[in-house]
């Protein structure tokens, strides 16, 4: 059984289970409207919309927060979140999604490291990881192809705060992970 609340670390960032106490720091990270431009939930920077996102993430049992490296005191700053979920996955799969990072980490390797930790962890227990991404979310679609995920023919419609959105599905399996760009980052994990 996949542990959806692991503690995973790499020299570039760490992931840990989200708690209700993370609300102020996570909302501060998410409150930048620029993060959500081009995303189907473009209003997620607004407090009531992000509150629903946060509450849903905690209720899912698979939400993780991303932090910068520990500064030796209380851990580094929270820079985003992601989660594991089985509700839309088929047998032998887990979905990774609901991911965001603060913009100062865009263009860095932070997204790759986050995905390497989560995908590597998941593939120890499941055959395939899927990513459901809004059809018009070009930034996220580009990001998952850069980590070695492949577009499948599966689609679904999700109800977001601003209406229904078609999502396309990308997947990465153990073979593609081992041969892809995330394998070295996974090998460099700290725990």
């Amino acid at each position: 059984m996949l542990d959806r609340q692991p503690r995973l670390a790499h020299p570039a960032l760490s992931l840990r289970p989200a708690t209700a106490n993370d609300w102020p720091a996570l909302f501060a990270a998410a409150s930048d409207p620029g993060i959500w431009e081009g995303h189907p939930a473009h209003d997620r920077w607004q407090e009531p919309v992000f509150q629903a996102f946060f509450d849903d993430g905690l209720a899912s049992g698979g939400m993780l927060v991303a932090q910068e490296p520990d500064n030796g005191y209380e851990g580094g700053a929270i820079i985003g979140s992601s989660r594991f979920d089985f509700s839309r996955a088929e047998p032998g799969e887990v979905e990774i999604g609901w991911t965001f990072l603060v913009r100062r980490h865009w263009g860095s390797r932070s997204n790759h490291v986050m995905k390497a930790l989560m995908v590597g962890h998941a593939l120890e227990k499941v055959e395939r990881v899927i990513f459901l991404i809004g059809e018009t979310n070009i930034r996220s679609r580009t990001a998952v192809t850069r980590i070695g995920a492949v577009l499948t023919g599966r689609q679904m419609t999700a109800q977001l705060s601003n209406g229904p959105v078609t999502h396309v599905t990308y997947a990465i399996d153990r073979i593609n992970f081992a041969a892809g760009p995330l394998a070295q980052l996974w090998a460099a994990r700290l725990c």
Side-chain angles (χ1 to χ4, degrees), residues 13 21 28 36 43 63 86 91 96 98 111 128 138 142 162 164 180:
L13 66 83
N21 292 334
W36 308 103
D43 58 350
M63 185 178 186
F86 286 109
I96 293 176
W98 299 269
N111 185 55
R128 183 174 40 260
I138 303 305
T142 301
N162 54 350

Side-chain angles (χ1 to χ4, degrees), residues 133-150:
I133 301 172
E135 187 173 41
T136 61
N137 188 347
I138 303 305
R139 182 172 53 227
S140 292
R141 291 181 69 173
T142 301
V144 296
T145 60
R146 287 183 179 155
I147 64 166
V150 177

Side-chain angles (χ1 to χ4, degrees), residues 2-188:
L2 176 66
D3 175 8
R4 294 185 309 133
Q5 292 273 271
R7 291 183 175 274
L8 303 166
H10 181 277
L13 66 83
S14 62
L15 295 167
R16 64 164 175 79
T19 69
N21 292 334
D22 292 319
W23 164 254
L26 204 54
F27 177 63
S31 63
D32 172 2
I35 292 173
W36 308 103
E37 289 176 357
H39 189 280
H42 55 81
D43 58 350
R44 199 169 277 159
W45 61 273
Q46 297 172 5
E47 187 170 356
V49 179
F50 191 78
Q51 182 73 59
F53 172 85
F54 181 78
D55 292 345
D56 185 57
L58 288 180
S60 79
M63 185 178 186
L64 303 174
V65 294
Q67 291 183 273
E68 292 176 324
D70 188 338
N71 62 12
Y73 300 99
E74 298 178 11
I78 289 178
I79 58 171
S81 71
S82 192
R83 80 168 100 147
F84 292 111
D85 194 88
F86 286 109
S87 65
R88 303 185 297 188
E90 294 180 355
E93 297 178 337
V94 68
E95 179 183 357
I96 293 176
W98 299 269
T99 304
F100 83 92
L101 283 167
V102 295
R103 287 197 291 168
R104 65 186 166 80
H105 279 268
W106 291 8
S108 73
R109 63 186 194 150
S110 296
N111 185 55
H112 282 75
V113 170
M114 183 186 304
K115 294 302 191 305
L117 292 173
M118 293 181 76
V119 173
H121 172 75
L123 290 176
E124 291 181 334
K125 299 293 181 179
V126 300
E127 297 296 319
R128 183 174 40 260
V129 170
I130 61 168
F131 305 89
L132 277 74
I133 301 172
E135 187 173 41
T136 61
N137 188 347
I138 303 305
R139 182 172 53 227
S140 292
R141 291 181 69 173
T142 301
V144 296
T145 60
R146 287 183 179 155
I147 64 166
V150 177
L151 182 64
T152 72
R154 290 166 44 190
Q155 291 189 356
M156 64 147 306
T157 300
Q159 185 63 40
L160 299 180
S161 62
N162 54 350
V165 174
T166 300
H167 283 71
V168 295
T169 305
Y170 288 80
I172 189 166
D173 60 20
R174 291 174 180 163
I175 293 170
N176 289 335
F177 178 74
L182 299 183
Q184 287 184 327
L185 294 171
W186 173 244

